[in-house]
Amino acid sequence: MILIIEFRKIDLQPLRELFLSERQRTFAEQDTSEFKLEDFDKQTQGEYILTAFLDDVPVGFISIWMPNSFIHHLYVAAPFQGKNIGTELVKAAVKKTKFPITLKCLETNTKAIEFYIKKGFTEKSRGYSGSGTYILFELMKEIV
């Protein structure tokens, strides 16, 4: 059973490791040598974080910039993908924030794009970042 709770300091190290390994795997086309464990701390500073657990092991997280209802990060460890954990994290985030909820996803991250569209996110625009072209997605209702 998936348990989703608010971030606890005792989960910092496992979440750092999950964030680093999944970013390296997801963005293998980029120069990942610059990715560090401490990036988790920097990139989620001031954000609301929910952590997903299976058998007391952190297997995913979502971080939200609450003032704009913006999902900044959503990561699930590779061995646990496809097990509804990402869906449950988004559902939990929806309960904590307000619509519209937005996020950006690199267009090269086709697996994530497919997930967001399946969950009811719609494309609002496209833009460019140092990492490549991204899609700005918006969610206006509860997800399925």
Side-chain angles (χ1 to χ4, degrees):
M1 183 171 142
I2 302 165
L3 172 66
I4 297 177
I5 62 171
E6 291 183 9
F7 173 78
R8 307 175 303 181
K9 289 213 182 269
I10 62 170
D11 301 315
L12 178 60
Q13 192 60 27
L15 289 180
R16 283 175 170 163
E17 292 168 8
L18 186 153
F19 186 54
L20 177 61
S21 66
E22 286 308 307
R23 285 174 66 220
Q24 289 170 331
R25 189 184 61 75
T26 302
F27 303 111
E29 75 280 354
Q30 298 177 20
D31 177 11
T32 61
S33 66
E34 297 297 315
F35 294 177
K36 306 287 182 234
L37 281 173
E38 299 77 28
D39 292 346
F40 177 85
D41 309 48
K42 294 173 191 169
Q43 293 195 29
T44 62
Q45 186 175 6
E47 296 181 349
Y48 181 74
I49 303 169
L50 293 167
T51 307
F53 291 83
L54 278 178
D55 300 324
D56 297 322
V57 176
V59 295
F61 76 92
I62 190 168
S63 70
I64 309 139
W65 181 249
M66 295 300 277
N68 296 342
S69 299
F70 179 79
I71 296 173
H72 190 200
H73 295 288
L74 172 59
Y75 286 94
V76 175
F80 302 97
Q81 292 177 6
K83 300 183 185 306
N84 223 28
I85 295 166
T87 300
E88 292 303 315
L89 282 165
V90 173
K91 284 181 179 179
V94 164
K95 291 178 183 173
K96 296 290 185 178
T97 189
K98 60 186 186 327
F99 295 109
I101 299 169
T102 58
L103 63 84
K104 292 178 182 176
C105 184
L106 289 176
E107 69 178 4
T108 56
N109 193 351
T110 55
K111 189 173 180 179
I113 291 168
E114 187 178 305
F115 170 81
Y116 293 127
I117 290 171
K118 184 177 176 185
K119 298 304 164 193
F121 285 83
T122 57
E123 181 177 329
K124 298 309 290 178
S125 64
R126 290 182 182 240
Y128 186 77
S129 71
S131 300
T133 303
Y134 65 83
I135 302 170
L136 176 65
F137 282 105
E138 181 178 71
L139 182 69
M140 297 294 292
K141 60 183 174 38
E142 299 284 325
I143 70 165
V144 290

